[in-house]
Amino acid sequence: MGQMIDSIAALQDYDQYRDLHWEGSFEAYLEIVRERPEVTRNAFQRVYDMIIAAGQEEYLDNKKRLTRYHFFRDDTGGGHDAVYGLDIPLMRLVHVLRAAAEGYGPERRVILLHGPVGSSKSTIARLLKKGIEDYSRSPEGALYTYEWCNLESTGLVMGSEGGVFASPMHEEPLRLIPPEWREKAIKGLNLGNTRHKVVVDGDLNPACRFIFKSLMERYKGDWSKLVANHIKVRRLLLSEKDRVGIGTFQPKDEKNQDSTELTGDVNYRKIAEYGSDSDPRAFNFDGEFNIANRGIVEFVEVLKLDVAFLYDLLGASQEHRIKPKKFAQTDIDEVILGHTNEAEYKKLLANEFMEALRDRTIKIDIPYITRLSEETRIYAKSFGQGKLKGKHVAPHTLEIAAMWAVLTRLEDPKKHNLAIIQKLKLYDGRMIPGYTQDTVKELRKDTRREGMDGISPRFVQDMLSNALVRYDEPTLNPFMVMNEIERGLKAHSLITNDEQRKKYTDLIAVVRREYEEIIKNEVQRAISADESEITKLAANYVDNVRAYTLKEKVKNRFTGRDEEPDERLMRSIEEKIDVAESRKDDFRREIMNFIGALALEGKKFQWSTNDRLRRALELKLFEDKKDTIKFTSVVSNVVDRETQEKIDAVKTRLMRDFGYDEISAQNVLEYVSSIFARGDLK
Ligand SMILES: Nc1ncnc2c1ncn2[C@@H]1O[C@H](COP(=O)(O)OP(=O)(O)OP(=O)(O)O)[C@@H](O)[C@H]1O
Ligand SMILES: [Mg+2]
């Protein structure tokens, strides 16, 4: 064999291949069950265990203890998809799955994910489906099924089948033990007191039952001969592509719905072979319910389902049974997951014929994200730095888009004299003086249906990609995105009334103001971020404050003479952060305490570790320096060399400290300069 083939072949994991394609006798399977009874888990138990196996962490969110399941996060169990910022709804979902796994009732319900468009309902379903595929390939998630073999001489299958007939619904092999003595038989396996209790419900599917009965007659009731001669057990790998263990049903238009899509259909070619359309071997058990056996079936827009189908759905959830055309009820074992948007759900509530369905669903609300940083992650996933070929995304671009999206979802704060942007910040975990975690808790409680309305992430994703195309420039910045959103709002098909459109448009202005604040702040800091100067200023200030509080004199650094503390210098800094004359003593004492506390821990004081002081120093330095920069000159073409050097230094700091590129740094500098040039400093 060629060397290249060898080296590729070396990548293959033979042991794993052997595991995944394990085949053996029924006896060998019983041995597996004895060792690892969890291979017999039902679909709910397996799905629940899969989620738990990916790990979890607990955290406090405004005094509320929450659990984050890693399964739904990108970085761990979730593969490519991830769900951000919805830990509470996901906790509900996991609780329901747990109760179902324990057999407390939810296993007899349709789990209905309900929420506004684009709230990640499909993403959650996709994660579960993809997850169970992977899990079935792992040692922990292994499961098995069987096929009939050596049937050539029995005449039970046509010659073309080669004497083999696989369980068309991939059933658990233990179902081959007749229900009358199944329980005793399982007890006889001596499983001891293992973690997992083996319980196998349900009977064989009609085709396998037919073969089973015929073979029992042939062997005069000797079951042991039947399994020894004709049963091969094999590992089952779930795969949506292969239509094994995972089904998806999407209603097409109403006239075209046909129940065979759910429960299977006769195979006309085989009817000719087997001679009768009531012969179960001539039936394709390939409806969505059939093929999803052992795993998950997802119903997209479940409430658009034709009423005739609903009976199938009700039976499937409540009884774990489906009724293939012309055949007896057939047992299934699968998680039934549906999703729906609000409009359809309202129709369900209004329709009394649907009461039966309503009664058999567990609704889980999947709202939009209301936490800015979590929303930003959605966009960072596809538009983040480094994700776009050859394009730079200016700092705050995605954050600004996310901010607007979250604002459209927040209800106006009724109390506390809060602006909506402040509410957004509090929700995002930022501190605002005068508000506590209790305020946030109260704010959250004080809403009606927050997160169920507003703009979907999908719209924002579309606006981001539109902006990328429209402004075919090397850098994407927040202004481009805001403009694109404004334009997009005019044509948004889901916004039906002008009042709402106006509200959303006004929120762009709120976001723009917030963005201006952010970049003003960054430019100021870049201008004053001359480390040596700010350190000097800080040292000078602290010397004076120390002398002032200790009622001592300050040694002048140049003359070496003792002087009174420089009151004008101290005040010029303190005023920058609104320390009133009457409060200055407190503030200075506070600073000294801060330094003292650090000294006790053996640490040296650094101006940057005290947020308020840092801000005050930066502003003061900015004020001292702003005239030397001459903001008007940033925007003009004629600049003398000295000024240009200063401007370049600021740009460099913007790039170094805040992640700007050349273009975006120039942009914000120009923009902020035009604001400063107008004299707007605060
Ligand atoms: N909480 C979230 N975390 C991560 N991504 C999200 C979240 N919410 C929405 N998205 C993203 O928004 C887009 C729409 O999500 P998805 O298709 O899952 O929504 P949906 O609820 O099924 O929408 P629809 O009701 O229109 O079918 C996807 O790109 C998805 O990744
Ligand atoms: Mg969807």
Side-chain angles (χ1 to χ4, degrees):
M1 238 189 299
Q3 228 180 6
M4 285 191 282
I5 292 185
D6 278 349
S7 69
I8 293 173
L11 300 172
Q12 192 180 357
D13 184 338
Y14 270 115
D15 284 348
Q16 195 198 14
Y17 184 88
R18 217 174 312 118
D19 272 352
L20 295 185
H21 294 83
W22 182 90
E23 277 183 1
S25 64
F26 195 77
E27 179 78 28
Y29 179 61
L30 291 179
E31 198 53 51
I32 293 180
V33 173
R34 206 201 305 248
E35 269 172 38
R36 290 184 290 139
E38 62 273 15
V39 299
T40 65
R41 279 170 296 182
N42 68 31
F44 282 99
Q45 292 167 336
R46 189 167 284 109
V47 167
Y48 174 70
D49 286 352
M50 155 185 89
I51 294 171
I52 297 307
Q56 65 196 66
E57 70 197 272
E58 299 218 332
Y59 66 98
L60 281 176
D61 180 66
N62 296 302
K63 300 189 172 176
K64 227 165 133 173
R65 185 172 294 284
L66 302 181
T67 304
R68 171 170 298 147
Y69 294 99
H70 294 163
F71 175 81
F72 296 102
R73 299 299 278 220
D74 192 19
D75 25 332
T76 44
H80 186 68
D81 279 316
V83 179
Y84 304 120
L86 295 182
D87 289 333
I88 293 175
L90 290 175
M91 278 167 68
R92 264 210 77 206
L93 175 62
V94 176
H95 285 174
V96 168
L97 288 171
R98 174 174 180 181
E102 312 232 344
Y104 296 149
E107 75 280 10
R108 306 207 168 272
R109 305 282 179 273
V110 176
I111 299 174
L112 185 64
L113 306 180
H114 162 261
V117 292
S119 69
S120 78
K121 301 179 293 297
S122 296
T123 305
I124 293 170
R126 201 161 50 239
L127 272 166
L128 291 170
K129 293 194 301 182
K130 183 74 183 63
I132 199 72
E133 278 190 358
D134 296 345
Y135 193 58
S136 76
R137 281 168 173 71
S138 74
E140 300 74 38
L143 69 165
Y144 295 82
T145 186
Y146 65 90
E147 63 189 29
W148 302 93
C149 55
N150 305 323
L151 296 177
E152 294 93 335
S153 59
T154 63
L156 282 171
V157 290
M158 290 297 137
S160 59
E161 315 277 1
V164 175
F165 189 92
S167 166
M169 288 170 62
H170 313 113
E171 285 160 334
E172 160 63 50
L174 293 185
R175 272 197 184 170
L176 288 161
I177 306 175
E180 303 89 74
W181 26 284
R182 193 182 289 164
E183 199 181 333
K184 260 201 170 139
I186 290 172
K187 264 207 196 108
L189 286 177
N190 273 332
L191 297 170
N193 44 359
T194 43
R195 260 181 316 117
H196 181 75
K197 187 163 179 290
V198 176
V199 180
V200 178
D201 292 323
D203 203 352
L204 299 171
N205 68 80
C208 288
R209 195 156 60 229
F210 179 90
I211 296 178
F212 184 92
K213 267 171 64 184
S214 309
L215 287 176
M216 281 297 260
E217 276 167 30
R218 193 184 160 97
Y219 291 111
K220 311 228 160 28
D222 189 343
W223 178 82
S224 66
K225 279 205 177 113
L226 176 148
V227 288
N229 293 340
H230 296 287
I231 291 299
K232 192 153 77 183
V233 177
R234 60 180 177 82
R235 179 111 178 234
L236 180 65
L237 306 178
L238 306 188
S239 156
E240 172 147 45
K241 274 207 193 102
D242 297 337
R243 293 177 54 78
V244 177
I246 297 168
T248 305
F249 187 78
Q250 185 145 24
K252 301 182 205 69
D253 69 283
E254 271 170 37
K255 279 164 257 117
N256 266 330
Q257 292 185 15
D258 179 350
S259 75
T260 60
E261 288 180 52
L262 287 181
T263 51
D265 202 358
V266 283
N267 180 327
Y268 290 95
R269 188 180 59 80
K270 287 191 176 169
I271 291 176
E273 288 187 46
Y274 290 106
S276 156
D277 69 349
S278 58
D279 190 313
R281 292 167 300 172
F283 193 86
N284 282 346
F285 291 92
D286 63 354
E288 234 44 56
F289 276 130
N290 304 111
I291 63 121
N293 196 35
R294 315 293 301 277
I296 301 176
V297 62
E298 173 192 9
F299 280 85
V300 178
E301 311 233 36
V302 60
L303 299 181
K304 290 216 174 101
L305 219 57
D306 196 54
V307 185
F309 279 55
L310 289 177
Y311 292 104
D312 287 326
L313 183 63
L314 294 185
S317 59
Q318 181 76 28
E319 318 289 340
H320 287 192
R321 283 198 178 145
I322 55 173
K323 172 84 183 64
K325 238 187 338 200
K326 289 188 186 264
F327 295 103
Q329 301 263 27
T330 301
D331 295 311
I332 54 168
D333 164 27
E334 60 202 73
V335 175
I336 303 175
L337 195 64
H339 39 97
T340 183
N341 60 40
E342 192 154 39
E344 297 291 330
Y345 189 73
K346 281 205 179 120
K347 269 194 237 159
L348 170 73
L349 292 183
N351 185 344
E352 54 181 302
F353 295 112
M354 302 277 247
E355 201 176 297
L357 176 65
R358 205 158 57 213
D359 201 41
R360 287 167 177 77
T361 51
I362 295 182
K363 175 167 84 85
I364 297 181
D365 283 338
I366 307 293
Y368 291 136
I369 294 174
T370 51
R371 250 189 119 114
L372 172 62
S373 46
E374 299 285 331
E375 181 77 6
T376 310
R377 299 175 98 129
I378 300 182
Y379 310 126
K381 222 172 137 105
S382 25
F383 300 94
Q385 212 64 273
K387 296 275 159 85
L388 308 170
K389 274 190 220 95
K391 280 212 193 241
H392 186 264
V393 182
H396 311 297
T397 304
L398 305 181
E399 182 191 336
I400 287 300
M403 190 181 284
W404 176 76
V406 172
L407 282 176
T408 65
R409 302 167 189 165
L410 297 185
E411 292 175 9
D412 276 320
K414 291 185 211 84
K415 273 190 258 171
H416 300 299
N417 195 17
L418 265 182
I420 193 151
I421 187 83
Q422 288 175 302
K423 180 173 177 180
L424 174 138
K425 288 180 185 172
L426 285 173
Y427 272 16
D428 200 33
R430 293 192 229 170
M431 315 271 228
I432 297 181
Y435 300 98
T436 62
Q437 293 194 337
D438 288 319
T439 327
V440 184
K441 227 167 122 184
E442 200 181 324
L443 278 168
R444 286 222 182 257
K445 229 170 77 194
D446 218 18
T447 58
R448 222 164 36 84
R449 37 176 288 122
E450 200 161 64
M452 297 300 273
D453 301 296
I455 287 290
S456 89
R458 210 182 272 131
F459 176 78
V460 177
Q461 287 168 336
D462 290 347
M463 293 307 106
L464 286 166
S465 63
N466 282 1
L468 281 166
V469 176
R470 183 188 308 277
Y471 304 92
D472 191 14
E473 287 175 26
T475 295
L476 181 73
N477 70 40
F479 287 112
M480 296 171 182
V481 175
M482 285 186 278
N483 290 343
E484 197 59 50
I485 289 175
E486 192 154 7
R487 203 175 283 126
L489 272 179
K490 293 198 183 106
H492 196 315
S493 58
L494 291 178
I495 300 179
T496 43
N497 70 63
D498 289 338
E499 193 188 332
Q500 198 176 38
R501 202 183 308 272
K502 183 174 177 315
K503 184 183 153 199
Y504 293 170
T505 311
D506 290 347
L507 287 175
I508 302 177
V510 174
V511 169
R512 180 171 290 130
R513 270 197 301 280
E514 189 59 28
Y515 178 58
E516 284 177 2
E517 280 312 308
I518 294 172
I519 55 180
K520 263 179 1 191
N521 189 306
E522 285 180 351
V523 168
Q524 285 177 348
R525 283 172 62 181
I527 288 173
S528 58
D530 188 327
E531 295 276 335
S532 61
E533 284 191 54
I534 202 160
T535 308
K536 235 188 290 168
L537 183 65
N540 205 353
Y541 176 74
V542 170
D543 282 350
N544 279 286
V545 166
R546 179 180 293 118
Y548 175 86
T549 37
L550 299 176
K551 302 202 168 26
E552 289 175 356
K553 298 216 162 158
V554 192
K555 193 179 278 296
N556 185 306
R557 289 179 186 225
F558 299 112
T559 61
R561 287 219 318 259
D562 283 346
E563 293 172 356
E564 288 298 317
D566 186 346
E567 187 61 25
R568 234 190 51 208
L569 174 84
M570 289 187 284
R571 286 309 292 152
S572 72
I573 290 168
E574 290 153 3
E575 276 163 0
K576 293 289 173 294
I577 49 166
D578 302 321
V579 177
E581 179 71 30
S582 58
R583 304 271 311 156
K584 71 178 185 194
D585 284 9
D586 290 343
F587 183 76
R588 291 173 190 173
R589 234 190 325 273
E590 205 183 288
I591 294 287
M592 290 320 294
N593 289 342
F594 184 77
I595 295 173
L598 281 174
L600 279 181
E601 294 173 39
K603 290 191 198 137
K604 216 172 151 272
F605 169 73
Q606 277 185 323
W607 56 270
S608 54
T609 48
N610 185 308
D611 273 343
R612 284 191 85 195
L613 181 59
R614 190 193 66 200
R615 186 82 193 117
L617 292 167
E618 281 169 354
L619 284 169
K620 162 73 176 149
L621 206 59
F622 172 72
E623 190 186 67
D624 293 349
K625 294 181 70 170
K626 71 179 195 294
D627 295 328
T628 68
I629 290 264
K630 300 198 197 77
F631 282 107
T632 42
S633 59
V634 175
V635 269
S636 82
N637 294 326
V638 270
V639 180
D640 60 79
R641 228 192 75 214
E642 199 190 339
T643 310
Q644 187 60 51
E645 270 169 15
K646 278 183 186 143
I647 292 172
D648 287 346
V650 174
K651 254 185 5 198
T652 307
R653 282 187 218 121
L654 278 172
M655 290 160 69
R656 186 194 65 196
D657 297 346
F658 300 104
Y660 287 87
D661 70 337
E662 186 79 36
I663 300 173
S664 54
Q666 176 72 22
N667 286 344
V668 297
L669 205 51
E670 279 179 21
Y671 187 77
V672 173
S673 301
S674 71
I675 301 177
F676 287 150
R678 290 199 305 266
D680 175 10
L681 263 177
K682 270 264 146 170

